[in-house]
Amino acid sequence: MNFAVNVHASLLPKHRGGAPIHYALIQGDEEAGVTIMEMVKEMDAGDMISRRSIPITDEDNVGTLFEKLAIVGRDLLLDTLPGYIAGEIKPVPQDPSQVTFSPNIKPEEEKLDWNKTNRQLFNQIRGMNPWPVAHTFLKGDRFKIYEALPVEDQGNPGEILSISKKELIVATAEGALSLKQVQPAGKPKMDISSFLNGVGRTLTVGERFGD
């Protein structure tokens, strides 16, 4: 019996759906990967022909991980197809108890909740960079954050803890974030130094991000 095959950017049965790379980062997975599977009517539910994994690093975001997995998928497909066509590879059913879903990101999921930990927010931000981009609010206007790093400072969630020429640190429920690349409302994407030397120069310690 002949099957159509599909290359899916996750280690099935985990992360079935349209945004597996986003969710691998958002959920803090330690590895990502590619699965080649037989196609069936149910979404991403076919028997697995082959899989290959790579580690996720703190430097990864959706863009970098997409590029890495594109190469992994290409190489895995080239390595797999000859044996599959020859009948030398027996596909393996997915374990239903291990299935998770990663549907397309909804607009409300792009919003940052400063009551989460710095690590959770770090993962959410990189899990939406370069698209669809995580956001918060500053003085009532939408404020996009493309890149941030976890730091150890403490304060009230959303509170600006410190400002310098090259650094803006915002408290979370546990730890804080040092913002690195942002986009204020009506402005282009910029590094944090450019923001603080421009439209952000009026910010003061104690002001809050959020609704």
Side-chain angles (χ1 to χ4, degrees), residues 113-117 120-121 157-158 172-174:
D113 179 358
W114 294 98
N115 291 300
K116 294 182 177 180
T117 68
Q120 289 173 316
L121 293 173
T172 70
E174 181 181 312

Side-chain angles (χ1 to χ4, degrees), residues 139-207:
K139 299 181 179 180
D141 292 325
R142 181 172 293 213
F143 187 91
K144 294 181 178 181
I145 301 177
Y146 284 81
E147 185 179 347
L149 291 176
V151 293
E152 296 301 318
D153 294 308
Q154 296 289 336
N156 295 317
E159 178 185 8
I160 296 175
L161 299 178
S162 66
I163 303 172
S164 67
K165 290 184 178 180
K166 297 183 178 181
E167 191 171 61
L168 176 62
I169 295 179
V170 184
T172 70
E174 181 181 312
L177 288 178
S178 177
L179 307 190
K180 297 299 182 182
Q181 192 174 58
V182 301
Q183 185 175 6
K187 300 293 182 180
K189 180 172 64 173
M190 62 187 72
D191 61 45
I192 198 64
S193 296
S194 298
F195 169 70
L196 292 171
N197 290 328
V199 294
R201 63 185 178 276
T202 60
L203 288 179
T204 58
V205 171
E207 287 191 81

Side-chain angles (χ1 to χ4, degrees), residues 6 40 52 57 74 88 92 98-99 105 125 142 147-148 169 172 174 211:
N6 183 43
V40 295
R52 187 170 292 169
T57 72
R74 178 201 64 190
E88 299 167 356
V92 178
Q98 300 300 312
V99 171
I105 302 294
I125 290 166
R142 181 172 293 213
E147 185 179 347
I169 295 179
T172 70
E174 181 181 312
D211 291 339

Side-chain angles (χ1 to χ4, degrees), residues 16-31:
R16 291 183 185 178
I21 298 175
H22 295 77
Y23 278 91
L25 290 162
I26 292 168
Q27 295 180 2
D29 292 358
E30 294 183 355
E31 62 177 3

Side-chain angles (χ1 to χ4, degrees), residues 44-186:
D44 300 331
D47 292 351
M48 299 179 295
I49 303 168
S50 60
R51 298 197 307 169
R52 187 170 292 169
S53 65
I54 58 171
I56 296 176
T57 72
D58 279 358
E59 289 71 38
D60 278 319
N61 58 35
V62 172
T64 63
L65 199 52
F66 181 91
E67 292 176 357
K68 291 178 181 180
L69 291 177
I71 295 172
V72 172
R74 178 201 64 190
D75 293 346
L76 183 59
L77 190 63
L78 291 173
D79 292 342
T80 298
L81 281 181
Y84 176 67
I85 294 170
E88 299 167 356
I89 299 175
K90 184 178 180 181
V92 178
Q94 297 184 37
D95 181 351
S97 69
Q98 300 300 312
V99 171
T100 65
F101 293 95
S102 299
N104 293 333
I105 302 294
K106 297 177 181 178
E108 57 267 26
E109 295 175 299
E110 300 167 19
K111 184 180 174 183
L112 298 171
D113 179 358
W114 294 98
N115 291 300
K116 294 182 177 180
T117 68
N118 59 353
R119 188 74 193 186
Q120 289 173 316
L121 293 173
F122 167 69
N123 286 336
Q124 182 180 357
I125 290 166
R126 68 196 186 113
M128 296 188 180
N129 178 9
W131 72 89
V133 188
H135 73 268
T136 184
F137 287 88
L138 180 63
K139 299 181 179 180
D141 292 325
R142 181 172 293 213
F143 187 91
K144 294 181 178 181
I145 301 177
Y146 284 81
E147 185 179 347
L149 291 176
V151 293
E152 296 301 318
D153 294 308
Q154 296 289 336
N156 295 317
E159 178 185 8
I160 296 175
L161 299 178
S162 66
I163 303 172
S164 67
K165 290 184 178 180
K166 297 183 178 181
E167 191 171 61
L168 176 62
I169 295 179
V170 184
T172 70
E174 181 181 312
L177 288 178
S178 177
L179 307 190
K180 297 299 182 182
Q181 192 174 58
V182 301
Q183 185 175 6

